[in-house]
Amino acid sequence: MNTTTAIVLAAGQGTRMKSALPKVMHPVSGLPILHYGVQAALDAGCEEVVVVVGHGRQMVEEYLARAFPGGRVKTAIQEQQRGTGDAARVGLAAVRKAAASILLMNGDVPLVRGDDLRAVLAPLDLEKAPALSFAVCVVEDPTGYGRVVRKDGKVVFIREHRDLRDVAEQSVREINAGIYAANVALLREALATLVPNNSQGELYLTDIVPFACNAGERVDTVELAADVLAGVNDREQLEQVDRAMQGRIVRHWRKEGVTVREGARIETGVVLDPDVTIESGAVLRGRTHVRRGASVDVGCVLTDADVGEAVTLKPYSVVTGSRIGARAHIGPFAHLRPDSDVGEEAHVGNFVETKKTRLGKGAKANHLAYLGDGVIGAGANVGAGTIFCNYDGVRKHTTTIGEGAFIGSDSQLVAPVTVGDGAYVATGTTVTYDVPADALAIGRARQENKEGYAPLLRAKLNRGLEKK
Ligand code: UD1
Ligand code: CA
């Protein structure tokens, strides 16, 4: 089988985005635009992917190294952005000699998938191999795209929107999708002939098409669905592409047995098990995994969250980098910050914030608490208004609460401190040293009742008012 290398063009600034961020780094469904093209090229079976970088290249290179480790994705630097043809030259110079054919594609078309690219590559494998094939789409509104100009049904050249010459060219609705496959030798030859004789004074990659035609090589077009090629050039198109991607993702999970309500947002990379319910306005991001039977109610925001089976996430809970055990109840309005680990059947209720805290099986913190850097034993009960005072202004310290312990409302636990198994902390106590197992800790000013004193007090206060 032929080895194929992909060249992904991603050096452009994306002027129309009006952004400090390189265009290809703008996120679509949580991942940079560029991620999708590179992944699609890998999915299509390309051995190696050369990404041509330029504008904001350090950021792009760092991202690619992180997202695609293992050496199959590398970069080539286009110092000056002299057009797609120049970028292709830069990319080709970085290709290993062994590659027999090249897949060339714009880096700003995130809806393209591996199968689409395979379709463009397929004609190259035919016995009477064409030397060049490229993807086309027929669209309602071809504004901004290069038009495929044919004569007697045969492709002759591609004309860029701003270079259109007459009404006949203007009326063409078959456009160039910016995805090409070619034999490496022909591509090398074709790229060498490019000249910047167009309105932008750039080297146009599209000019390889008339070159191949004039050289008598067979040129094939592969038609792709119109929604596949949508390129991102401005914020409006970014939004359209994001919406299309969301539609794709949501349809996929519905097919897998997940109830996804209108208006929920599920980003790329999230995993949902069957019988999960995602209500409207919920946002699921990153490496979030929601397991079988769990429900995520209105307005929850989950980022890198591992949600266990049959968990109930009540409205407006925010979970980041945390794990929730099976059948636990979270929220409404709970905030699980990174490294929280909620045990099976535990409860974390409204206005409870946890950070780097582990709750054992069945432990409960139902109302208004800050639980930072803690270890809470199974079955323990943490009352309303409890605060783990984990920070002394310099360092963070751990609060440990034993199994079955009871922490009365409005208690402060000044870390580092341990409350033993089965211990009882009376309401309003400030715990500053360890409480042994099964002990009662009580540390608050003793209450005093002065009989009949209230009317006297009121009279005194009223006299004070008259004097003024
Ligand atoms: C290009 C095609 C057009 C096609 C459209 C499909 C050309 C001349 N035109 O136009 O026929 O209909 O794509 O989406 O190729 N890039 C570089 N270096 C450069 C210039 C661009 O790496 O010097 C990269 C960009 O980052 C981008 C891609 O090439 O990812 C396409 O460039 P862009 O300027 O968006 O081309 P279009 O005008 O969309
Ligand atoms: Ca484009």
Side-chain angles (χ1 to χ4, degrees):
M1 214 194 87
N2 281 346
T3 56
T4 304
T5 291
I7 299 174
V8 181
L9 310 184
Q13 177 177 4
T15 325
R16 288 165 280 178
M17 296 296 283
K18 301 195 173 139
S19 175
L21 194 66
K23 176 170 83 173
V24 293
M25 290 304 289
H26 279 263
V28 165
S29 272
L31 293 179
I33 291 168
L34 179 61
H35 185 102
Y36 297 93
V38 172
Q39 186 62 55
L42 293 172
D43 291 346
C46 295
E47 306 247 304
E48 186 182 41
V49 180
V50 176
V51 181
V52 180
V53 296
H55 188 83
R57 82 167 209 247
Q58 198 187 339
M59 189 185 190
V60 179
E61 284 176 331
E62 276 169 17
Y63 177 80
L64 291 172
R66 219 175 334 117
F68 300 99
R72 275 172 80 195
V73 178
K74 62 180 196 178
T75 55
I77 300 162
Q78 187 192 24
E79 296 287 355
Q80 278 182 318
Q81 279 72 67
R82 294 204 202 87
T84 48
D86 181 62
R89 280 183 186 173
V90 169
L92 190 61
V95 170
R96 276 184 305 131
K97 287 200 175 62
S101 48
I102 303 289
L103 176 74
L104 264 161
M105 62 184 285
N106 291 355
D108 61 353
V109 282
L111 294 172
V112 168
R113 280 175 288 202
D115 286 346
D116 304 315
L117 299 181
R118 234 180 255 129
V120 181
L121 277 165
L124 259 64
D125 274 342
L126 297 179
E127 214 171 294
K128 198 170 166 291
L132 175 69
S133 93
F134 66 100
V136 299
C137 290
V138 178
V139 294
E140 279 304 314
D141 178 14
T143 307
Y145 290 104
R147 316 293 210 276
V148 178
V149 179
R150 293 178 185 262
K151 203 173 164 213
D152 303 326
K154 278 201 163 153
V155 176
V156 276
F157 54 79
I158 296 169
R159 186 84 79 201
E160 289 308 296
H161 179 88
R162 59 179 93 207
D163 299 315
L164 293 172
R165 298 220 176 134
D166 52 37
V167 187
E169 286 180 5
Q170 271 161 21
S171 66
V172 174
R173 290 194 301 117
E174 183 184 19
I175 58 121
N176 167 33
I179 303 164
Y180 321 78
N183 295 337
V184 72
L186 172 78
L187 183 64
R188 191 164 282 129
E189 237 182 292
L191 289 176
T193 67
L194 300 182
V195 285
N197 58 352
N198 51 62
S199 65
Q200 301 194 84
E202 290 186 346
L203 296 182
Y204 282 178
L205 175 53
T206 45
D207 289 343
I208 64 173
V209 172
F211 176 88
C213 295
N214 293 336
E217 306 277 1
R218 197 175 125 196
V219 176
D220 272 39
T221 56
V222 175
E223 190 173 338
L224 298 180
D227 62 335
V228 157
L229 88 149
V232 178
N233 298 302
D234 57 31
R235 305 277 178 160
E236 191 60 35
Q237 287 172 328
L238 181 68
E239 187 57 25
Q240 284 161 7
V241 164
D242 189 86
R243 217 174 295 144
M245 191 71 82
Q246 276 305 301
R248 201 183 262 181
I249 291 171
V250 165
R251 278 192 298 279
H252 167 78
W253 290 120
R254 285 178 182 150
K255 256 188 227 144
E256 298 292 312
V258 178
T259 295
V260 183
R261 304 277 186 216
E262 193 62 39
R265 184 176 168 81
I266 299 163
E267 295 194 336
T268 305
V270 168
V271 177
L272 305 175
D273 290 355
D275 283 325
V276 158
T277 299
I278 311 291
E279 289 292 345
S280 56
V283 180
L284 279 62
R285 300 178 175 143
R287 267 172 294 231
T288 290
H289 183 176
V290 183
R291 291 167 201 274
R292 195 176 272 274
S295 63
V296 179
D297 214 326
V298 175
C300 287
V301 180
L302 313 184
T303 309
D304 301 329
D306 183 343
V307 179
E309 288 188 13
V311 162
T312 304
L313 270 157
K314 294 177 195 162
Y316 302 104
S317 295
V318 177
V319 181
T320 307
S322 294
R323 201 194 67 89
I324 303 169
R327 298 175 301 284
H329 285 239
I330 309 293
F333 300 104
H335 188 187
L336 307 189
R337 290 170 50 209
D339 295 323
S340 297
D341 185 343
V342 178
E344 289 177 24
E345 288 154 34
H347 288 197
V348 176
N350 36 202
F351 307 108
V352 173
E353 174 184 347
T354 66
K355 187 219 75 177
K356 220 174 169 183
T357 285
R358 198 166 74 228
L359 276 91
K361 182 173 178 177
K364 289 189 178 123
N366 272 326
H367 334 265
L368 305 161
Y370 174 60
L371 311 176
D373 300 294
V375 180
I376 300 170
N381 195 309
V382 177
T386 296
I387 293 171
F388 287 4
C389 309
N390 61 328
Y391 187 47
D392 57 17
V394 182
R395 268 180 287 272
K396 304 282 169 69
H397 303 282
T398 303
T399 298
T400 305
I401 294 176
E403 288 187 14
F406 181 92
I407 311 297
S409 299
D410 194 28
S411 296
Q412 299 90 52
L413 295 109
V414 183
V417 74
T418 298
V419 175
D421 290 351
Y424 195 106
V425 172
T427 291
T429 298
T430 300
V431 180
T432 52
Y433 52 91
D434 291 354
V435 181
D438 294 321
L440 165 69
I442 178 159
R444 59 189 183 214
R446 191 169 282 278
Q447 182 177 329
E448 196 183 336
N449 290 341
K450 302 190 178 197
E451 296 286 345
Y453 194 83
L456 297 176
L457 179 65
R458 273 189 213 106
K460 196 170 152 189
L461 293 171
N462 283 330
R463 271 203 302 283
L465 272 182
E466 280 159 18
K467 267 189 199 152
K468 272 191 188 159

